[in-house]
Amino acid sequence: MPHTHDDAVDPALGGPEGPPARATGAARTVDEGRATPPPGSDQSPYAMSDDDVRRADERAATAAAAGWPSTTAVLPYPAEPVAPPSPPDKDELLERLLGRASLALDATRRNRLIGWAWTLAITVFAGILRFWNLGSPHSLVFDETYYVKDGWALVTRGYEADWGEDPNPGFESGDDSMVGTRPEYFVHPQVGKWLIGLGMKVGGGMESSFSWRLAVALFGTLSVLLMVRIARRLFASNAWGAVAGGLLAVDGLAIVMSRTSLLDPFLMFFALAAFGALLLDREQARRRLAERTADVLAAGGDLGWGPSLGMRWWRVAAAVLLGLAIGTKWSGLYFLAVFGLLTVMWDATARRTVGVRRWAVGALVKDALVAGVVMVGTAFVVYVATWWSWFTHPQSWGRNWAAEHPGEGLTWLPGPLRSLADFHVQMWNFHKGLDTPHTYEAHPLGWIVQWRPTSFYWGDVANLTGAEAQDACGTDHCAQAILAVGNPILWWAGAAAILVAIFWLIRYRDWVAGAVLSGLLAGWVPWFFFASRTIFDFYAIAFTPWVVLTLVYVLTLIVGPPTLPDRARRGAIIGVGVFLGIVVAVGVYFYPIWAGWVVPYDFWHQHIWMRQWV
C-alpha cells in the first residue's frame, strides 16, 4: 500500500515542535533573522558565499513566518568534506528488488512447512469437491460429446475418427464398435483431447463416466494447488495464498469445468502454470541481478546496460507450458503475448531499481530480444510437436493434403508441414465464421458478472411423477441440473476489485496490480474483438484464477500491511473474514447445482437468482 508522508516542512528548518537543535562543528548562525559569519570564518575554507547568506536569510524568514522563536537557528555547516556513500551490497539490492516480506517467505523451515501444510489441505478440499460422485450424470454433458469421443479415438486409433450417426447412446453404454476408420474433421488442437483420452485409459475405459472426466478433475484440482503457491509468492504471505486457493476451490465455474470434459480447463491450467513459472523466473533473475550488480559496483565498474542474467530456465518452462496451452486452444496465444511483455517489463524495472542509467536500452537488448526468441521460439516448437500423432498417422484429417494438391499452399515447406499449414487455414476459417445463434451464447462484457451462464445439463428426472419422483428427490417434482455459473459473491466482488486494481496500477504503479490483471488482459479482453461470433460464458474459466487473484489483491489493500498495529487492522480483518465466510457459504449452497445432484424442483429454482440464468 502507498504511504503518506508529511514532507511539507523543510527539514533544515525543523519540525512543528520548533527549530532544529544546534549542530556540532563549524556552523553558520542566524541571530535575530540575520546571518553573521562565525568567528574566524574569513580564514575558513568553508566560508559562505553571498548566495549562501541569501538562502540563510530566506530560511530564517520562513521560520519567523511560521511563528517559531527567532532567537537562534543553526544552518548545517560541515566540519570536513563528506565522503561519498559506499555502493549498495547484494543484500541491500535484494531488499530493493524483492522486498523484505518476499525474502522472509522461505527464510525459515517453519514458514516453508506452514506454506505446504496450507497448500496440501486446500488441495485435498478442492479435490473432494471435484471428484465426489464425478461419474454423475452418466451422460455426455454439453460439448463432452465432441471431446470425449475424440479423446477415445486418439488413444485407440491415433487420430480423430468418425463415429457415425447418433453415437452417444452406444458410447454411454460402453460400446466402441461405432468408432470407424475414416478421419473426422476437427477444429481444435490435440493436447486437451489426448489428456482426456489418457484419463479414460487409466480410469476404466469408455464405459466409465468417471474416466471421461478423470483428467479434467485432476487438472482442476492441481490448479488449486498452483493457485495457493502462486498467491503465496505473489503476496509474500502464507495466509493470503491459502485465501486465494480456498476461493478458487469453492468457485462454481471452476468446479463445473473440473467435472466436465471440455478443453478450457486444460487451457486454464497451462496458462496458470506458466504464470507461476514466470513468477519464479522473476525472483531468480532478480537474485542474479543483485549479485552481479553488487560485484560490478564493488569492483568500481560501470553498470552500463546492466549485467546479463544468463540462461532463464523458468522462462523456458513457461514457454513450454504456453506452447501446451496453445496446443489445447488457440486462445493460449494471447497469454503468450501478454506474459511475454509482462516478464520483460519486470526485467526493465529491475534494472532501473539497481541504478542502471540506460535501463530501457539494457532491458531491450539484454532481456526483451532474448525473451522474444526464447519464449516465442520454444512455444512454437512445442506447439508443432503436439501434432505428433497427426504427423505419424496418414489417416488423420488433411494429413495428405500436400500430396493431393501439388504446387498449392506454402510450397517452400516440406509436405507434412504444408498440409498442417493448410489445415490451420481451414480451422481459422471455421472459427472466424462461427456465428450460428445459440441459446446460451453470451457477450464477454457479461462474463465478469456471470450474466448469462451456460446450462450444461438438464436431467430426465424432471419428467418423473408420483412415487418415482418421491423416491428420487422426496417431492413430486424433481430437477437435476448443471449450471456453469461462478460463485456469484466471488465474481461480483471480483468485478469491483478489477476497477480498484486498475486504479492502483495507474496511480501507484504497483507491480502486483499489473500481475493480477495480466491474466484478465490475456484471457478476457481479446474476446471483445470476437463478440459477433458464437461464444459462451464458460470461456471465462481461462481467466478465473486472475479474477481470484485480483480480488485477493484488493483484500490485502483493505487489511493493510503486517507492519500496521494489530488494533488498526483488526476491524478490516474481521470484515474480510466475514466476506470470505459468505463466499464459502454460498459455495456450499450452490454445490448441488454445480455437481448435478437430483434435488427438488423448488430447491433448484431457488438458485436461479437472475432470469438470464435459465
Side-chain angles (χ1 to χ4, degrees):
M1 289 184 66
H3 301 281
T4 58
H5 304 275
D6 185 6
D7 295 327
V9 180
D10 189 333
L13 296 176
E17 296 80 7
R22 182 177 298 274
T24 59
R28 185 75 182 222
T29 63
V30 179
D31 188 25
E32 296 297 336
R34 295 296 301 165
T36 57
S41 63
D42 290 342
Q43 290 76 34
S44 171
Y46 301 106
M48 298 179 71
S49 67
D50 291 340
D51 287 339
D52 293 332
V53 173
R54 177 179 54 79
R55 285 193 289 269
D57 289 343
E58 291 174 354
R59 293 188 177 188
T62 303
W68 298 341
S70 59
T71 54
T72 302
V74 180
L75 296 174
Y77 197 85
E80 58 185 24
V82 178
S86 59
D89 60 14
K90 173 186 172 182
D91 292 338
E92 183 180 344
L93 291 172
L94 271 177
E95 188 170 322
R96 289 187 199 174
L97 289 167
L98 294 175
R100 292 182 182 179
S102 294
L103 292 173
L105 185 62
D106 288 323
T108 66
R109 184 171 179 268
R110 180 177 181 273
N111 264 3
R112 294 192 295 271
L113 288 176
I114 290 174
W116 276 110
W118 276 114
T119 301
L120 296 176
I122 292 172
T123 302
V124 169
F125 172 65
I128 292 171
L129 297 179
R130 284 150 179 76
F131 279 92
W132 188 5
N133 202 21
L134 181 63
S136 178
H138 187 79
S139 301
L140 291 170
V141 172
F142 198 61
D143 281 355
E144 279 187 338
T145 185
Y146 303 112
Y147 307 123
V148 172
K149 294 201 295 287
D150 279 352
W152 186 249
L154 281 172
V155 296
T156 55
R157 294 282 191 268
Y159 58 93
E160 290 88 342
D162 174 60
W163 284 80
E165 296 294 329
D166 193 25
N168 285 5
F171 183 92
E172 292 169 356
S173 67
D175 179 12
D176 68 348
S177 63
M178 298 185 69
V179 60
T181 57
R182 292 184 304 169
E184 178 77 10
Y185 176 65
F186 57 95
V187 295
H188 290 296
Q190 299 182 311
V191 171
K193 292 174 285 187
W194 266 108
L195 291 172
I196 292 171
L198 291 172
M200 295 172 71
K201 274 287 190 181
V202 172
M206 63 171 290
E207 64 272 14
S208 167
S209 50
F210 173 89
S211 75
W212 306 346
R213 300 162 188 145
L214 174 60
V216 288
L218 176 61
F219 275 72
T221 303
L222 292 177
S223 296
V224 174
L225 184 149
L226 287 176
M227 174 61 81
V228 180
R229 304 305 294 177
I230 287 170
R232 175 182 182 270
R233 192 163 298 276
L234 191 61
F235 303 118
S237 166
N238 285 323
W240 288 119
V243 168
L247 288 175
L248 186 62
V250 300
D251 176 62
L253 189 59
I255 290 173
V256 172
M257 297 302 288
S258 298
R259 298 173 60 91
T260 310
S261 273
L262 306 185
L263 302 181
D264 305 81
F266 301 113
L267 169 64
M268 180 266 281
F269 173 85
F270 289 127
L272 182 61
F275 181 73
L278 289 177
L279 277 178
L280 292 172
D281 171 73
R282 177 183 183 273
E283 179 173 328
Q284 185 183 76
R286 290 185 171 222
R287 290 182 180 276
R288 288 183 186 175
L289 182 62
E291 181 177 353
R292 296 178 185 185
T293 299
D295 290 343
V296 172
L297 294 177
D302 180 33
L303 286 178
W305 291 346
S308 297
L309 300 179
M311 190 63 184
R312 311 271 288 270
W313 289 110
W314 280 116
R315 182 177 275 175
V316 173
V320 170
L321 290 162
L322 290 167
L324 293 172
I326 302 167
T328 302
K329 292 188 82 169
W330 284 355
S331 47
L333 282 166
Y334 305 126
F335 287 95
L336 174 63
V338 172
F339 288 173
L341 292 174
L342 183 68
T343 186
V344 170
M345 289 173 62
W346 286 344
D347 288 342
T349 56
R351 292 184 183 275
R352 183 180 61 183
T353 299
V354 299
V356 175
R357 288 190 298 275
R358 302 183 65 188
W359 56 270
V361 177
L364 175 64
V365 174
K366 293 195 170 186
D367 299 318
L369 296 178
V370 176
V373 172
V374 169
M375 293 194 69
V376 175
T378 302
F380 176 77
V381 170
V382 170
Y383 174 76
V384 173
T386 64
W387 288 83
W388 65 272
S389 64
W390 185 87
F391 284 118
T392 55
H393 287 82
Q395 300 95 324
S396 299
W397 179 277
R399 174 62 181 81
N400 299 315
W401 182 88
E404 297 166 357
H405 298 80
E408 298 183 30
L410 302 176
T411 55
W412 51 274
L413 285 175
L417 290 177
R418 187 155 59 95
S419 296
L420 184 63
D422 179 78
F423 190 18
H424 278 63
V425 172
Q426 295 181 45
M427 290 192 291
W428 169 252
N429 288 333
F430 171 86
H431 289 296
K432 185 174 63 173
L434 185 61
D435 57 0
T436 305
H438 194 284
T439 304
Y440 287 101
E441 62 183 306
H443 192 280
L445 185 61
W447 296 357
I448 200 64
V449 292
Q450 296 294 285
W451 183 257
R452 181 59 170 163
T454 310
S455 176
F456 275 13
Y457 181 76
W458 181 257
D460 292 337
V461 297
N463 300 324
L464 298 179
T465 59
E468 290 181 328
Q470 287 287 340
D471 291 341
C473 66
T475 67
D476 294 333
H477 196 179
C478 302
Q480 185 183 19
I482 298 177
L483 182 65
V485 62
N487 188 307
I489 307 302
L490 189 159
W491 280 80
W492 296 342
I498 290 170
L499 301 178
V500 176
I502 291 173
F503 170 78
W504 237 255
L505 175 63
I506 296 172
R507 176 65 179 83
Y508 300 109
R509 300 179 183 178
D510 187 345
W511 78 271
V512 180
V516 299
L517 291 170
S518 65
L520 293 160
L521 180 61
W524 181 33
V525 172
W527 287 107
F528 284 86
F529 299 97
F530 300 96
S532 59
R533 56 159 286 187
T534 307
I535 52 180
F536 301 92
D537 178 273
F538 70 83
Y539 292 179
I541 188 60
F543 62 84
T544 297
W546 290 272
V547 175
V548 171
L549 288 173
T550 303
L551 176 57
V552 174
Y553 171 72
V554 173
L555 294 180
T556 67
L557 299 181
I558 294 172
V559 171
T563 53
L564 289 178
D566 290 342
R567 183 173 56 185
R569 305 172 73 215
R570 187 174 296 118
I573 291 173
I574 293 173
V576 168
V578 170
F579 168 76
L580 295 175
I582 293 172
V583 173
V584 173
V586 170
V588 173
Y589 178 67
F590 270 87
Y591 185 76
I593 310 303
W594 296 332
W597 289 11
V598 177
V599 296
Y601 180 88
D602 289 340
F603 180 85
W604 166 81
H605 194 265
Q606 291 165 9
H607 291 72
I608 306 302
W609 287 6
M610 301 173 66
R611 181 179 300 177
Q612 294 82 7
W613 289 7
V614 179

